[in-house]
Amino acid sequence: MKAGSVAAVLVMAAGIAAPVQGQAQDVPAAPVVGMVDDPCPAMPTKPKSVLDLEEAMIRPGPADLAALLALAQTPDYQAYSAAKAAREADDWPGLCVYRADNAALHDAELRPDVVMIGDSITENWARADASLFTARRIAGRGIGGQTSAQMLVRFRADVVALQPRLVHILAGTNDVAGNGGATSPEAWKNNIMAMTELARANGIQVVLGAVPPADRFFWRPGVRPAAQIVTLNNWLRDYAAREGLGFIDYYAVLANEQGGLDRALSLDGVHPNRDAYAIMDRLFLAAVN
């Protein structure tokens, strides 16, 4: 299999925007332009091919990349990917993704104790260990491919409005990768501080998660992220100590000598698998209890 084909599989399975082949017939019509009460179209249902690729991202052990590529080329996967891309084009911060779920949690008895906001690493966590989220009243609010700027825009809707006791913020991988275009460490720091200040102003405790290790990004082959991730985590640790916030050092327990994730803990060197999440679970529970 060509390297580009492997990367395409991983890009799609990780929930990162990628071009799809052909013209899908299930792309929703363009939403009404302007300020309306309900700007969110219905979320497309994930077909089995998408669910199988998502499972492959978190399953420990070797993967059959040829089989995964075949799944990604099926018509239902292509249609879903096109619908997802169209939705994201109209909803850059992802405000529609959890809108219905959030509305269902406004009853005081259903409100989560903890909200986890982040990117695909947070999104996949809820798939990897669903029992953790249900037993502990945790609401997962991860969206694949997102940067800290997108999380900040949706922070009030996806965190503050749910009135949790605590928020876990895990952001930075996609900032380093440049998913939102060129940015700077200062911009990322400002977004982390703004989310923290929003939470604290509303009586919500804050726990910051260290950016997990990565020594390469399969969707950004020219980026060498290992050293920058160390620098960002040093700042997170110092900021948390200075502000009296919780800090969980996922990096320290997951990184190999190259500052990456070993194959035993990740299919693609970026996204943790279930074995890695089991390690992360222990640190997370110790910090939020």
Side-chain angles (χ1 to χ4, degrees), residues 87-250:
R87 188 181 76 241
E88 290 171 349
D90 289 321
D91 181 24
W92 171 79
L95 288 166
C96 290
V97 174
Y98 291 107
R99 192 168 190 255
D101 292 337
N102 292 341
L105 294 177
H106 282 173
D107 187 310
E109 295 182 358
L110 299 176
R111 286 176 189 151
D113 182 53
V114 176
V115 174
M116 300 176 71
I117 189 166
D119 51 33
S120 56
I121 294 172
T122 296
E123 185 177 11
N124 290 349
W125 202 330
R127 300 183 187 116
D129 192 358
S131 63
L132 170 71
F133 285 71
T134 55
R136 299 277 178 165
R137 290 176 56 204
I138 299 170
R141 294 295 181 264
I143 298 180
Q146 281 210 336
T147 65
S148 61
Q150 292 168 294
M151 296 174 210
L152 174 57
V153 173
R154 65 183 176 91
F155 195 84
R156 178 167 288 278
D158 283 352
V159 179
V160 174
L162 301 183
Q163 301 179 33
R165 172 181 62 89
L166 182 148
V167 62
H168 174 273
I169 302 171
L170 187 58
T173 296
N174 294 317
D175 295 68
V176 176
N179 280 18
T183 187
S184 67
E186 196 65 25
W188 169 82
K189 292 175 187 178
N190 287 340
N191 294 333
I192 297 295
M193 290 189 288
M195 285 189 276
T196 296
E197 290 160 7
L198 268 173
R200 297 177 84 176
N202 287 277
I204 300 170
Q205 299 174 43
V206 177
V207 172
L208 303 176
V211 181
D215 60 359
R216 66 191 186 281
F217 296 135
F218 55 83
W219 69 100
R220 292 283 190 271
V223 177
R224 296 293 178 264
Q228 191 162 46
I229 288 174
V230 170
T231 300
L232 298 186
N233 284 335
N234 287 339
W235 180 86
L236 279 174
R237 184 184 297 103
D238 292 345
Y239 174 64
R242 184 169 68 250
E243 296 295 324
L245 312 174
F247 174 72
I248 308 177
D249 196 349
Y250 299 119

